[in-house]
Amino acid sequence: MSQAFTETKESLEGFIEQVRAQFPTLLQEFNGKEIVFLDNTNTTMKPQSVIDRVTQFYTFENSNVHRGAYRLSQNATENFEATRAKVANFLSAKTPDEIVFVRGTTEAINLVAATWGEKNIRDGDEILLTELEHHSNIVPWQMLAERKNAIIKVARIHDNGELDLQDFERKLSAKTKLVAVTACSNTLGTFTPIKQLAAMAHKVGAKILIDGAQIVTQKKVNVVDVDADFFAFSAHKIFGPTGVGVLYGKKEILEGMPPYQGGGSMISRVTFAKTTYNDVPTRFEAGTPHVEGVVALKTALDFVEGIGYERISQWEHHLLVTATQRLEKIQGLTIYGNVSDKAPILSFNLDRAHSSDVAQIMDQCGVCVRAGHHCTQPLMDRLGISSSVRASFSVYNNYNDILALEKSILKAKELLL
């Protein structure tokens, strides 16, 4: 793993400490120890600016959107739609009309399965997934396939965690109607070549949905350049609130999709005889949305852009390389996924020790990691394990966190082996 730095390590360290100071959750202690949060693949901590934005909304702006004729509601609507424009710009979408607000990546995928999928998938059609997928990008397609008598195919990965592109291409055919693929594995950190995969999918006439939940804090994504038909991510993975997510879809595709849910806001005219539906994207946003979460998502994206992807990538890569080098020296520890270019995720096991036992001992040392199958049980089967411990870094982690990680693993090894 090597990467050229445009800033010195020392200057980055100073800047990152300023970033870290903006996260109040990291300043608290458990068991008399300062918290070391290394479960960032699961969710990221929230900077004070995002916390303040939610508070500001409830204190001074609380109102529903797209409904009230009064100024308070108009302000809320303007701020809500300003986030839609911000997200469109963030993803380089052609228009804000291509941005649908949902509860998270999971709902975004289910929305596509329940609307585009119901309309376009037929008996005998094929849906291509990969062994890297999160359950949320597997189960909705299995449910759709059962309803439609369609066929699920799965592209393999190599032993190092990299997607097998030859197998992916072999499993594409004229019967493939949808490719659903993660841009970054939440378990191994593997990046997939989404632009190449999109081109391969489109060559056989298939659409592509990209699960972007893990990549949005790692790399700038241009959905037009990638030529994604659908792209989904969750706010809480990128320093924003929980319960908010985004579905990007090409406008011409969204316009051909039926509504996902019925209710207020998604309608144009309702009578007992017939209902006509609103234009996209409002057609897919029934009911009262998570207004405070949406407006705070804009603040979270401002926070990311204020730091810059180049700095984030450089620092997190440094953390990954340093942590990998130290953990590789621990006898009896196995790291899964060894591609040269990966997200700052380390999944590992200690020989003869259950991942949950290891993680509980690490917690006693103040280190927060994930243990289990990480909602990727098919990937666990491919790796020949039932679970693993996962440590994942974010821009606010530092070298002391790596030392604490190493120390806690050695403590677990001492007690369990």
Side-chain angles (χ1 to χ4, degrees):
M1 298 177 185
S2 62
Q3 181 166 318
F5 281 73
T6 57
E7 291 187 57
T8 65
K9 176 175 171 289
E10 291 72 21
S11 67
L12 271 173
E13 283 179 333
F15 178 77
I16 294 307
E17 287 309 306
Q18 297 176 32
V19 171
R20 184 182 178 90
Q22 299 177 51
F23 290 82
T25 308
L26 300 176
L27 304 179
Q28 62 185 315
E29 293 184 351
F30 287 121
N31 301 323
K33 297 179 178 63
E34 186 175 296
I35 188 172
V36 177
F37 189 77
L38 298 177
D39 193 19
N40 296 288
T41 301
N42 182 17
T43 193
T44 53
M45 296 292 101
K46 316 308 171 195
Q48 191 64 54
S49 59
V50 170
I51 298 169
D52 290 345
R53 187 64 188 90
V54 174
T55 301
Q56 178 185 339
F57 175 82
Y58 278 128
T59 305
F60 301 109
E61 306 169 31
N62 185 46
S63 178
N64 212 325
V65 294
H66 302 139
R67 289 165 173 79
Y70 49 91
R71 188 66 245 178
L72 202 62
S73 177
Q74 293 172 17
N75 288 343
T77 301
E78 289 170 4
N79 290 328
F80 186 89
E81 292 303 324
T83 302
R84 198 187 306 274
K86 176 72 178 185
V87 173
N89 180 263
F90 183 75
L91 296 177
S92 300
K94 292 180 179 179
T95 168
D97 290 345
E98 296 180 318
I99 304 302
V100 179
F101 290 123
V102 289
R103 291 179 298 167
T105 306
T106 298
E107 185 176 39
I109 295 170
N110 276 275
L111 188 160
V112 176
T115 57
W116 183 92
E118 285 289 340
K119 184 175 180 179
N120 293 279
I121 298 297
R122 299 286 184 269
D123 189 339
D125 286 346
E126 295 177 359
I127 299 170
L128 179 59
L129 313 177
T130 80
E131 290 182 322
L132 295 170
E133 302 312 312
H134 188 280
H135 293 168
S136 62
N137 203 26
I138 299 174
V139 179
W141 308 119
Q142 289 177 328
M143 296 168 68
L144 176 65
E146 288 176 4
R147 294 194 300 269
K148 295 292 187 174
N149 198 30
I151 299 166
I152 301 288
K153 288 198 169 183
V154 183
R156 297 195 304 262
I157 61 170
H158 296 294
D159 290 342
N160 67 351
E162 186 177 14
L163 181 62
D164 185 336
L165 292 177
Q166 290 184 336
D167 188 61
F168 182 92
E169 187 170 28
R170 279 194 299 268
K171 286 172 177 169
L172 285 169
S173 72
K175 293 182 178 180
T176 309
K177 294 300 182 288
L178 179 73
V179 170
V181 61
T182 182
C184 176
S185 167
N186 72 306
T187 297
L188 301 180
T190 304
F191 292 119
T192 60
I194 52 177
K195 184 175 181 178
Q196 183 179 356
L197 300 181
M200 294 166 72
H202 292 150
K203 188 175 180 179
V204 299
K207 302 292 188 237
I208 185 167
L209 177 144
I210 298 170
D211 172 359
Q214 298 301 330
I215 202 171
V216 286
T217 57
Q218 308 296 318
K219 296 182 178 183
K220 177 71 174 174
V221 175
N222 183 323
V223 291
V224 174
D225 179 63
V226 170
D227 200 14
D229 297 301
F230 301 103
F231 183 91
F233 74 91
S234 302
H236 76 99
K237 305 281 190 181
I238 189 168
F239 312 110
T242 57
V244 176
V246 168
L247 171 66
Y248 157 84
K250 290 178 179 176
K251 189 175 181 181
E252 62 271 21
I253 299 177
L254 293 178
E255 288 177 335
M257 290 161 48
Y260 178 49
Q261 296 175 322
S265 192
M266 52 75 65
I267 54 84
S268 175
R269 176 81 171 99
V270 176
T271 69
F272 283 113
K274 182 178 176 59
T275 293
T276 54
Y277 305 120
N278 219 328
D279 295 331
V280 299
T282 315
R283 179 188 304 171
F284 304 108
E285 297 176 353
T288 298
H290 188 353
V291 185
E292 73 281 14
V294 169
V295 298
L297 170 58
K298 180 178 183 297
T299 304
L301 298 182
D302 288 339
F303 172 80
V304 170
E305 291 179 341
I307 300 174
Y309 273 107
E310 185 176 4
R311 270 188 173 137
I312 292 172
S313 177
Q314 287 178 18
W315 182 248
E316 291 182 352
H317 185 77
H318 165 69
L319 294 175
L320 174 65
V321 171
T322 304
T324 301
Q325 291 172 345
R326 297 189 74 92
L327 266 59
E328 283 178 337
K329 296 176 181 179
I330 300 176
Q331 289 188 349
L333 185 143
T334 301
I335 296 175
Y336 305 101
N338 298 296
V339 294
S340 58
D341 180 27
K342 59 182 284 189
I345 298 171
L346 285 172
S347 287
F348 62 90
N349 276 321
L350 283 174
D351 290 349
R352 305 187 310 279
H354 195 280
S355 62
S356 294
D357 294 334
V358 175
Q360 287 175 10
I361 293 172
M362 294 174 70
D363 175 58
Q364 293 169 13
C365 298
V367 178
C368 307
V369 293
R370 179 81 178 269
H373 53 65
H374 318 307
C375 294
T376 57
Q377 285 181 305
L379 177 56
M380 294 289 111
D381 292 340
R382 168 64 177 83
L383 297 173
I385 57 178
S386 60
S387 66
S388 71
V389 182
R390 184 187 66 195
S392 50
F393 300 93
S394 186
V395 67
Y396 43 65
N397 290 120
N398 58 24
Y399 187 67
N400 288 335
D401 292 342
I402 295 175
L403 295 179
L405 169 65
E406 180 185 28
K407 185 177 179 180
S408 67
I409 294 172
L410 291 173
K411 183 66 174 180
K413 180 180 178 182
E414 175 189 344
L415 294 176
L416 295 173
L417 301 185

